[in-house]
């Protein structure tokens, strides 16, 4: 298995632009997680899905952030409009039984 | 959510054992203890988890105190590749989706 796949790996955009991050979980996994990591705040859980349904989005910072999981093999995290403070590394992770999460390589987002 | 306390940093010599402590005095009877690590420029990876009994796997051992208020991750022979940030996390048993709350972790450096 290729593991969790994220794209793009790096994204540089200007303030106000829309940004879409993509994630393909490991086949057969039923939980998917989006995290954000910054030096100041560490690793934060933004939202997680179970069987494609959002279960907990309490970590989503504000309405500019939205996440979807249209099917078991794909999820997106969208920021519109983006701001410089959104600059971070965004990780996607998936899990089958909740005991072990497998993380992707991350997307490094820079908002100028 | 119950919290964990870890030292900010630790040093080890290559090929020596490493004991990484974690305090979780407010742990509930059904919280699982999880350990993840994050190598530089990578996403976190699962190391080990346990509930009450000590656990071993190919990566490490987990020693859990009898009162469960503390635990220790043991790397039997540290290598340079083990230099990473190690996170100790509590996960409630009812949290079948596997939601994890990461703290600041312990940054382990390994000297040759």
């Amino acid at each position: 298995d290729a593991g969790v796949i994220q794209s793009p790996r790096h994204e540089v955009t200007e303030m106000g632009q829309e940004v879409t991050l993509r994630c393909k979980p490991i086949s057969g996994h039923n939980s998917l997680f989006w995290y954000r990591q910054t030096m100041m705040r560490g690793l934060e859980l933004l939202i997680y899905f179970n069987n494609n349904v959002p279960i907990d989005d309490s970590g989503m910072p504000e309405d500019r952030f939205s996440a979807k999981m249209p099917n078991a093999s794909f999820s997106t995290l969208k920021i519109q409009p983006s701001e410089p403070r959104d600059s971070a590394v965004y990780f996607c992770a998936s899990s089958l039984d909740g005991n072990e999460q497998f993380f992707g390589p991350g997307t490094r987002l820079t908002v100028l | 959510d119950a919290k964990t306390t870890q030292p900010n940093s630790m040093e080890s010599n290559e090929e020596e054992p490493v004991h990484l402590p974690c305090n979780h005095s407010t742990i509930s009877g059904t919280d699982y203890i999880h350990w993840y690590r994050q190598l530089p420029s990578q996403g976190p990876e699962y190391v080990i988890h346990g509930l009450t009994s000590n656990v071993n796997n190919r990566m490490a051992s987990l020693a859990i105190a009898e009162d469960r208020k503390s635990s220790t991750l043991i790397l039997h022979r540290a290598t340079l590749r083990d230099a990473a940030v190690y996170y100790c996390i509590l996960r409630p048993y009812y949290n079948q989706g596997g939601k994890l709350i990461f703290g600041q972790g312990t940054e382990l450096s390994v000297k040759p």
Side-chain angles (χ1 to χ4, degrees):
Chain A
D1 198 319
V4 175
I5 299 172
Q6 292 187 246
S7 65
R9 294 293 308 276
H10 301 272
E11 176 82 24
V12 180
T13 190
E14 293 189 345
M15 182 174 63
Q17 297 297 306
E18 178 179 295
V19 175
T20 299
L21 310 182
R22 297 172 176 78
C23 176
K24 177 179 169 54
I26 293 173
S27 177
H29 283 190
N30 59 358
S31 294
L32 183 139
F33 308 81
W34 282 102
Y35 293 87
R36 176 173 69 175
Q37 187 170 35
T38 62
M39 288 294 293
M40 289 297 293
R41 300 175 67 88
L43 198 61
E44 304 173 278
L45 176 67
L46 299 178
I47 185 171
Y48 81 93
F49 297 82
N50 188 250
N51 294 320
N52 310 339
V53 177
I55 302 301
D56 185 345
D57 65 354
S58 59
M60 296 285 264
E62 49 198 274
D63 292 344
R64 297 185 297 107
F65 286 69
S66 62
K68 293 182 179 180
M69 192 164 186
N71 57 60
S73 59
F74 183 65
S75 177
T76 59
L77 177 68
K78 186 176 293 187
I79 308 173
Q80 166 63 18
S82 58
E83 297 182 3
R85 59 191 169 123
D86 302 330
S87 297
V89 180
Y90 290 81
F91 290 104
C92 175
S94 70
S95 171
L96 173 59
D97 56 8
N99 284 330
E100 181 176 355
Q101 289 187 21
F102 293 81
F103 284 75
T107 295
R108 181 173 295 276
L109 173 65
T110 302
V111 183
L112 303 175
Chain B
D1 292 332
K3 293 187 176 180
T4 63
T5 303
Q6 300 177 253
N8 289 332
S9 62
M10 290 185 64
E11 278 190 354
S12 173
N13 294 317
E14 195 176 13
E15 298 189 3
E16 290 186 356
V18 182
H19 291 235
L20 296 161
C22 181
N23 287 320
H24 28 78
S25 58
T26 60
I27 190 170
S28 74
T30 51
D31 283 341
Y32 286 89
I33 302 162
H34 285 245
W35 284 82
Y36 280 74
R37 73 179 185 180
Q38 187 172 19
L39 303 172
S41 301
Q42 295 188 27
E45 66 174 340
Y46 168 85
V47 178
I48 200 167
H49 80 280
L51 184 61
T52 56
S53 303
N54 294 343
V55 185
N56 301 295
N57 66 20
R58 63 176 180 79
M59 288 182 69
S61 296
L62 176 59
I64 301 173
E66 194 168 336
D67 64 4
R68 299 208 331 123
K69 294 184 183 300
S70 66
S71 60
T72 303
L73 180 70
I74 302 167
L75 308 179
H76 296 285
R77 287 186 66 198
T79 69
L80 296 179
R81 195 191 173 278
D82 291 322
V85 178
Y86 287 78
Y87 299 96
C88 170
I89 304 163
L90 301 182
R91 179 176 75 83
Y93 87 99
Y94 58 80
N95 183 359
Q96 295 306 309
K99 174 180 175 179
L100 301 174
I101 306 298
F102 285 80
Q104 293 305 307
T106 296
E107 184 170 9
L108 175 67
S109 58
V110 180
K111 296 183 291 184

